[in-house]
Amino acid sequence: MSASAPSGRDAREAAATGYVLSLDEVGLDDVAAVGGKTASLGELRRLLRGRAVTTPDGFAVTAAAYRDVLTAAGAWERLSVLFQGLDINDVAQVAVRGARARAIFYDATDDPRLRAAIAGAYRGMAGPSDPSPGVAVRSSATAEDLPEASFAGQHDSFLHVAGEAAVFEACRRCLASLFTDRAIVYRAQNGFDHLKVALSVAVMRMVDADEGASGVAFTLDTETAFPEVVFITGGYGLGEGIVQGRVGPDEFYVHKPTYRAGYRAVLRRTLGDKATRLVRPRREAASGVLRERAVPRRDRGRFCITDEEVLELAGAAIAVEDHYSAHAGHRVPMDLEWARSGAAGPLYILQARPETAASRRPEGVYEIRRLDPGEALILAAGKAVGQGVAAGPVRVVATGADLAAFVPGEVLVAATTSPDWLPAMRNAAAIVTDKGGRTCHAAIVARELGIPAVVGTGDATRRLGDGQAVTVSCARGEDGAVYAGRLPWTVERLRTADLPVTRTAVMLNLAQPDLAFQAAALPAAGVGLARIEFIISELIGVHPMAAAHPDRVVSDRARRAIAAWARSDESPRACFIRQLAEGVGAIAAAFYPRPVIVRLSDFKTNEYASLTGGAGFEPVEENPMLGFRGAARYTHPLYADGFALECEALARVRDVMGLTNIRLMVPFCRRVDEGRRVLDALAAHGLRQGPGGVEVYVMCEIPNNVIQIDAFAQLFDGFSIGSNDLTQLVLGVDRDSAEVAFDFDERDPGVLEMLRQAVAGAKRNGRPIGICGEAPASWPEIAALLVRAGIDSISVNPGSFPRTVVAIARAEAEMAAA
């Protein structure tokens, strides 16, 4: 290779070839000329100009340059012969032919016209203060980012490249990477002719994220395909740390409908471990080596970007999705890469392409997976990718050499995965990794292949051994688990269009925010019961009074745990309010604008006491089921400050997040005066009834609620029957007692009469009434009785939804025929 500068004649010829184009000269209609990635960069330059989030400048080496240099070198025939009869399942054969193809291509690109074109464009990026600017050199295939395939990670890119010679060399290596082993296999699997896919190169000014932050943004939820959120992940340092799965990133959600309505709030966030950052030391830039650096503990304990930056990225992502959708004539969910320059510099979008995995799922099809692990041991746990379940023997892979022993149908277990492992990954039953988040390489590939993955387990490679039978489950929201042994599971596929339409509204009972986006795909009328206490116990874990008064926590151990839990917020109080608001907000956002009825906390004292810091705040009761619970707590001195935190969180959901579809519900309200005190307390905390205010329902679950329903109806906006507690109190059966469980029966005539009277009383007072127990789902005759009585809504768990709709439709048809 000659290292001399381009001659004057070479430079003149290069200018006429069209070998390079400024990014400002290309757009979405130029994929054939510069590839999908580069065409998109040019489109972004125009779209985001003048915004807080923008795109770096640069130039493209065109597909014409790729074709011309191959033709000039007479390389086409040699490449064609090389790929005849290729068996992509023969790893050794792919490796040999890929190496030969890259060598042919690398030699062909030593072209003086190409060198002159790249040198001239690079000099155009320089300035007096920066004569040799650092750039990122990224490959861009002309078949890239099509709706049916994503070439993400198949070709090479190089960062922190500086100097004419180094930039030219990086461009040559990018062009040759069209024939990496992984790219060869990927093209063959997706039906692309090796010689009809051309490669362009994007050379763009380097965003110095080494000391900043970077990540990925999707304009849908990647696990459920829920379209109404922007999902952002981020960590410190270069984005390759997240993509390669070395970093457990922070995660953020922003709700698109309320953002469009003018509300500016992060819907939900999760703090990642971010133990390391990936950087490229300046003195080693030419080598292409990336280095891992430990992140200080104080930085690990805070989010890598601020709320304002999250919202700026979300706004840019929404604008990009809208623009690409308008261009295509239909909704186009997007996958974007972003970076922040330095510790507090500007934000940049580095890449935008159509999302090609979750968005391809068929609409109107809902899958209900049922796995009962029983007493099975959880061997590893992490972030779930998808909602699948799979079983098989373990294969621990430490390096690419271990893949030679991999057998199709095994569960691939590794610290992280590599693009070169794709041939084995596509034959895996499931994938489990020690590191990574839901946008790492393993997650992206698993999502595209439709196989379950559990990422970021921390220690799966240590806890799992070759040949060990395991079941990998992603069927329980965001939390994935690896169980010992092969466990049975079932999958029910439901076409929502096949469900009958009912007059009676059928709603859902939900406790887990993690499941809300998936459940929102059901044609439910909303959520009839969202239980706050589950969010407090499972997501927060800290007693509300301990968050309000950490100084009064009696246990030193509990105080330390609370301090660690609240490390990313200004105080335990602020942390509790934020996490509760985000949990409720996720459910409300999933169903927006459908109504979501949020029940205020209804722990029993023994359950409250088990929360971190709770023991010193709770009395000891002989029968907590009938003790200090529900409405009785809210204005009592022992809990009033804890209730204030609940109220502040719910007010934030309505006023800051803009999720005005929530309604509140008061549980276990024994007396009318008690109900009046609770309403006064809600109003004092900014949750006032009336025009423009919040609707407040009351649980109808105590016989006195039925007997005095006319009086309760004067206070509350609606009722929801709690069949479990109502049955317990009508029959005098402790529903927690196994010894008398045989006497707990919602079909008892006394219970049925209470149900009938409750519905009649609500109707008499013009108040809506529903039921939020599982009795109608378990007993079709109860559903029929309630329908005949004129109940407005029936709320059941998502798994019970299909059969409940059918039972209600049958009852309504029988009524119409009578």
Side-chain angles (χ1 to χ4, degrees), residues 269-609:
R269 76 203 79 197
T270 303
L271 189 68
D273 62 50
K274 307 184 300 298
T276 61
R277 73 167 75 228
L278 206 59
V279 301
R280 177 157 294 170
R282 299 297 185 273
R283 63 180 181 278
E284 299 181 52
S287 70
V289 174
L290 297 178
R291 302 292 184 189
E292 270 189 325
R293 299 285 186 260
V295 173
R297 185 173 295 276
R298 65 179 181 279
D299 291 335
R300 293 172 59 185
R302 60 183 179 89
F303 291 99
C304 66
I305 52 177
T306 65
D307 282 12
E308 290 75 15
E309 290 171 323
V310 171
L311 294 168
E312 287 177 358
L313 287 169
I318 292 170
V320 170
E321 181 183 56
D322 289 347
H323 182 77
Y324 279 61
S325 298
H327 185 273
H330 57 84
R331 188 176 69 87
V332 181
M334 298 298 294
D335 168 358
L336 303 92
E337 295 179 12
W338 64 268
R340 184 187 66 211
S341 179
L347 292 164
Y348 293 90
I349 299 295
L350 307 180
Q351 180 172 306
R353 59 184 175 226
E355 196 278 340
T356 57
S359 57
R360 288 188 295 175
R361 296 175 190 168
E363 294 185 3
V365 177
Y366 185 83
E367 293 189 348
I368 301 172
R369 289 177 172 82
R370 293 186 174 89
L371 169 70
D372 183 6
E375 300 299 320
L377 179 65
I378 295 179
L379 301 174
K383 290 280 189 181
V385 177
Q387 294 101 43
V389 182
V394 166
R395 174 67 62 183
V396 178
V397 177
T399 68
D402 297 330
L403 294 173
F406 186 86
V407 176
E410 291 182 324
V411 174
L412 192 157
V413 180
T416 62
T417 62
S418 163
D420 295 323
W421 296 8
L422 183 59
M425 294 172 75
R426 68 186 177 93
N427 292 314
I431 298 169
V432 181
T433 66
D434 289 346
K435 301 179 180 179
R438 290 189 293 157
T439 52
C440 71
H441 175 263
I444 292 170
V445 172
R447 204 174 287 121
E448 186 167 330
L449 295 176
I451 61 177
V454 178
V455 299
T457 63
D459 58 358
T461 53
R462 181 176 59 82
R463 301 190 64 179
L464 305 177
D466 284 346
Q468 182 179 12
V470 297
T471 299
V472 179
S473 173
C474 299
R476 298 178 64 85
E478 294 181 4
D479 297 326
V482 181
Y483 295 96
R486 291 178 177 266
L487 306 179
W489 73 88
T490 60
V491 179
E492 177 184 350
R493 289 180 175 86
L494 169 70
R495 284 178 50 85
T496 56
D498 294 339
L499 287 174
V501 178
T502 61
R503 176 193 60 79
T504 308
V506 186
M507 306 177 80
L508 298 179
N509 298 334
L510 276 181
Q512 294 174 269
D514 294 353
L515 299 179
F517 294 162
Q518 178 187 2
L522 286 169
V527 175
L529 175 64
R531 294 186 286 267
I532 276 184
E533 60 266 16
F534 182 91
I535 299 172
I536 294 175
S537 64
E538 298 297 318
L539 300 184
I540 298 176
V542 172
H543 193 286
M545 288 293 290
H549 299 288
D551 55 309
R552 288 162 49 183
V553 174
V554 296
S555 163
D556 290 340
R557 182 177 181 181
R559 279 200 297 272
R560 289 193 297 270
I562 291 169
W565 159 74
R567 67 188 183 280
S568 62
D569 293 84
E570 61 185 34
S571 67
R573 175 189 177 87
C575 187
F576 185 96
I577 293 168
R578 176 183 63 78
Q579 290 191 357
L580 182 55
E582 291 178 0
V584 173
I587 298 174
F591 288 85
Y592 184 87
R594 290 174 284 178
V596 172
I597 301 175
V598 180
R599 189 177 72 184
L600 302 170
S601 63
D602 189 27
F603 281 128
K604 289 75 179 173
T605 50
N606 58 323
E607 295 167 335
Y608 268 118

Side-chain angles (χ1 to χ4, degrees), residues 23-347:
L23 291 182
D24 290 324
E25 297 180 88
V26 300
L28 288 180
D29 296 328
D30 299 308
V31 172
V34 295
K37 183 183 298 180
T38 310
S40 185
L41 284 169
E43 194 78 12
L44 291 173
R45 292 255 326 143
R46 291 197 291 267
L47 175 64
L48 299 177
R49 186 172 286 117
R51 296 180 65 111
V53 181
T54 186
T55 301
D57 65 334
F59 64 90
V61 179
T62 65
Y66 160 89
R67 295 188 182 96
D68 278 6
V69 296
L70 283 187
T71 300
W76 292 106
E77 185 176 352
R78 284 180 288 160
L79 288 170
S80 178
V81 170
L82 195 59
F83 289 108
Q84 290 177 3
L86 175 65
D87 180 5
I88 62 170
N89 292 310
D90 187 334
V91 176
Q93 185 183 126
V94 170
V96 169
R97 298 197 190 185
R100 290 176 182 170
R102 292 192 295 276
I104 290 171
F105 206 100
Y106 187 77
D107 290 342
T109 55
D110 189 12
D111 183 282
R113 294 174 302 165
L114 181 63
R115 182 187 298 276
I118 292 172
Y122 178 70
R123 285 196 295 270
M125 295 177 64
S129 62
D130 191 10
S132 187
V135 295
V137 181
R138 311 183 75 175
S139 56
S140 177
T142 57
E144 195 169 32
D145 302 332
L146 301 177
E148 66 274 11
S150 168
F151 278 64
Q154 304 308 313
H155 311 120
D156 290 340
S157 294
F158 303 94
L159 306 179
H160 286 307
V161 183
E164 289 183 19
V167 170
F168 179 66
E169 182 67 12
C171 288
R172 292 179 69 192
R173 291 167 67 186
C174 267
L175 291 169
S177 75
L178 185 66
F179 299 104
T180 62
D181 298 356
R182 58 185 180 268
I184 292 168
V185 171
Y186 192 88
R187 283 196 297 273
Q189 289 170 347
N190 286 277
F192 291 97
D193 187 321
H194 296 294
L195 301 187
K196 290 184 178 178
V197 176
L199 206 65
S200 168
V201 178
V203 179
M204 54 196 298
R205 193 174 299 275
M206 186 69 204
V207 177
D208 190 9
D210 293 55
E211 299 302 321
S214 57
V216 182
F218 291 88
T219 61
L220 47 55
D221 178 51
T222 54
E223 308 314 316
T224 64
F226 179 68
E228 300 300 343
V229 290
V230 177
F231 173 52
I232 299 169
T233 67
Y236 299 115
L238 299 173
E240 280 74 4
I242 293 176
V243 173
Q244 295 174 12
R246 301 188 190 188
V247 175
D250 296 333
E251 296 182 351
F252 310 88
Y253 285 98
V254 175
H255 187 229
K256 289 192 281 190
T258 47
Y259 184 96
R260 295 183 195 277
Y263 292 92
R264 295 294 181 265
V266 176
L267 176 66
R268 195 175 180 199
R269 76 203 79 197
T270 303
L271 189 68
D273 62 50
K274 307 184 300 298
T276 61
R277 73 167 75 228
L278 206 59
V279 301
R280 177 157 294 170
R282 299 297 185 273
R283 63 180 181 278
E284 299 181 52
S287 70
V289 174
L290 297 178
R291 302 292 184 189
E292 270 189 325
R293 299 285 186 260
V295 173
R297 185 173 295 276
R298 65 179 181 279
D299 291 335
R300 293 172 59 185
R302 60 183 179 89
F303 291 99
C304 66
I305 52 177
T306 65
D307 282 12
E308 290 75 15
E309 290 171 323
V310 171
L311 294 168
E312 287 177 358
L313 287 169
I318 292 170
V320 170
E321 181 183 56
D322 289 347
H323 182 77
Y324 279 61
S325 298
H327 185 273
H330 57 84
R331 188 176 69 87
V332 181
M334 298 298 294
D335 168 358
L336 303 92
E337 295 179 12
W338 64 268
R340 184 187 66 211
S341 179
L347 292 164

